[in-house]
Amino acid sequence: MSFTTEERGRPNTAEYRVFFKDSAGKHISPFHDIPIYASEEENIFHAVVEVPRWTNAKIEIATKEPLNPLKQDIKKGNLRYVANVFPHKGYIWNYGAIPQTWEDPSHQDSDTGCCGDNDPIDICDIGNKVCSRGEVIKVKVLGTLALIDEGETDWKVIVINTDDPDAAEYNDIDDVRRNKPGYLEATVDWFRRYKVPDGKPENQFAFNGDFKDRDFAIKTVKDTHEFWKALVSKKTDAGELNCTNTSITDSPFCCSAADAKAAVQSTSALGAEDPAPSSVDNWFYYEK
């Protein structure tokens, strides 16, 4: 199964979007139409890369727009770029989400005591390859970190791309600890401090910032898949979320290929890239 992307609008502007197509060239939603499993039997999952490693633009699945393209987050009227908090340059992994998952904001997690953040579940790919924006990869789940972001549970699932030459050496969170010493500590440090340059306090974690193992993480991913099933079948109130899809035939939100194409063509055509602000290259330092 292969996927391609179609850019619309001007990069580094609020109108920029990245839409997705399946192998037949039909427009799809990366949130709803890309299958969660690359291999259910082996617990291999698909993941959509939103932010390539070392980059700063906070690109995310637009959960409230038709077909859920990628777009850049906006805060206080400005495009959002994650600061370089020394010693970390941009994102320190390929960052993205597992399709067909949803952290239900009405469900209080029994482990964290907090409700979900209303988004697909996030992944941090620790593989060697720097992926491309919009790339769909197959991943092994290794463990998870439970970030508590403004009172919401925001799982960060640690994964490795199955195409990575070292993938066979990684099967659980302890393998990361052994093969990449310091990487998990750096991950906690990154999530703790990345919002401080925006004037916010350090983030908090469940489980004292400890990582849960592979089995716990896989169960968490599968639970969010069940929440997503309720979402697209209208058994749960979607609120502002857009559940338009082109492949889930028993979903009341399923639309035709023609309607999907029209939705894409209603957006601005791809244009010249705007320069990113020079402040993206600034470094932020503060004493822990």
Side-chain angles (χ1 to χ4, degrees):
M1 184 173 290
S2 62
F3 305 94
T4 57
T5 57
E6 178 182 340
E7 294 179 288
R8 305 282 294 183
R10 292 176 295 123
N12 295 323
T13 73
E15 68 178 16
Y16 179 66
R17 297 292 184 273
V18 179
F19 288 92
F20 288 73
K21 295 179 179 179
D22 63 14
S23 55
K26 183 174 72 172
H27 290 101
I28 60 171
S29 159
F31 188 3
H32 306 301
D33 291 310
I34 296 176
I36 180 176
Y37 292 109
S39 171
E40 185 171 2
E41 181 180 350
E42 299 177 84
N43 280 318
I44 303 298
F45 299 89
H46 283 120
V48 177
V49 175
E50 298 164 314
V51 187
R53 183 190 286 119
W54 312 135
T55 64
N56 300 75
K58 187 165 180 27
I59 304 293
E60 58 189 16
I61 292 173
T63 57
K64 299 175 183 177
E65 296 184 9
L67 296 182
N68 314 114
L70 300 186
K71 70 167 188 176
Q72 189 163 353
D73 189 24
I74 295 177
K75 285 290 174 71
K76 298 180 180 178
N78 297 314
L79 293 173
R80 190 172 171 197
Y81 296 88
V82 166
N84 303 307
V85 182
F86 186 82
H88 308 304
K89 173 66 177 77
Y91 286 71
I92 63 173
W93 348 255
N94 297 303
Y95 188 74
I98 296 179
Q100 296 187 341
T101 63
W102 178 54
E103 296 188 56
D104 186 350
S106 68
H107 172 77
Q108 186 178 53
D109 188 274
S110 59
D111 291 303
T112 67
C114 298
C115 295
D117 71 348
N118 205 32
D119 283 324
I121 200 165
D122 296 320
I123 61 99
C124 302
D125 164 42
I126 66 166
N128 293 297
K129 177 186 176 183
V130 177
C131 293
S132 303
R133 180 183 298 163
E135 188 172 347
V136 180
I137 59 177
K138 300 174 183 178
V139 301
K140 289 200 292 187
V141 167
L142 305 175
T144 189
L145 178 69
L147 176 67
I148 306 300
D149 189 354
E150 299 180 9
E152 297 174 332
T153 303
D154 190 3
W155 295 104
K156 306 300 180 184
V157 181
I158 308 302
V159 305
I160 189 165
N161 190 334
T162 59
D163 288 340
D164 191 277
D166 299 327
E169 298 178 25
Y170 292 85
N171 297 293
D172 211 326
I173 199 68
D174 285 339
D175 296 328
V176 184
R177 206 169 270 118
R178 181 178 64 255
N179 294 322
K180 293 181 182 281
Y183 203 178
L184 295 181
E185 291 81 0
T187 293
V188 173
D189 186 61
W190 194 97
F191 281 116
R192 188 186 305 280
R193 302 197 291 153
Y194 82 101
K195 288 187 176 180
V196 172
D198 297 328
K200 294 187 176 181
E202 291 185 349
N203 277 322
Q204 304 299 311
F205 305 89
F207 315 116
N208 295 315
D210 292 334
F211 288 82
K212 307 302 282 186
D213 65 13
R214 171 185 180 273
D215 290 343
F216 185 101
I218 287 175
K219 180 183 182 302
T220 301
V221 171
K222 290 183 176 182
D223 286 347
T224 61
H225 182 50
E226 294 303 313
F227 297 146
W228 170 83
K229 286 180 181 178
L231 180 70
V232 293
S233 62
K234 221 170 185 177
K235 293 176 182 175
T236 298
D237 181 14
E240 295 182 335
L241 298 181
N242 194 301
C243 297
T244 300
N245 64 82
T246 60
S247 66
I248 309 165
T249 54
D250 58 348
S251 168
F253 303 103
C254 192
C255 75
S256 68
D259 286 343
K261 184 176 182 179
V264 173
Q265 292 183 336
S266 69
T267 63
S268 300
L270 179 63
E273 179 176 341
D274 272 21
S278 60
S279 59
V280 172
D281 294 324
N282 292 345
W283 285 87
F284 185 85
Y285 302 82
Y286 81 97
E287 192 172 357
K288 298 181 189 178

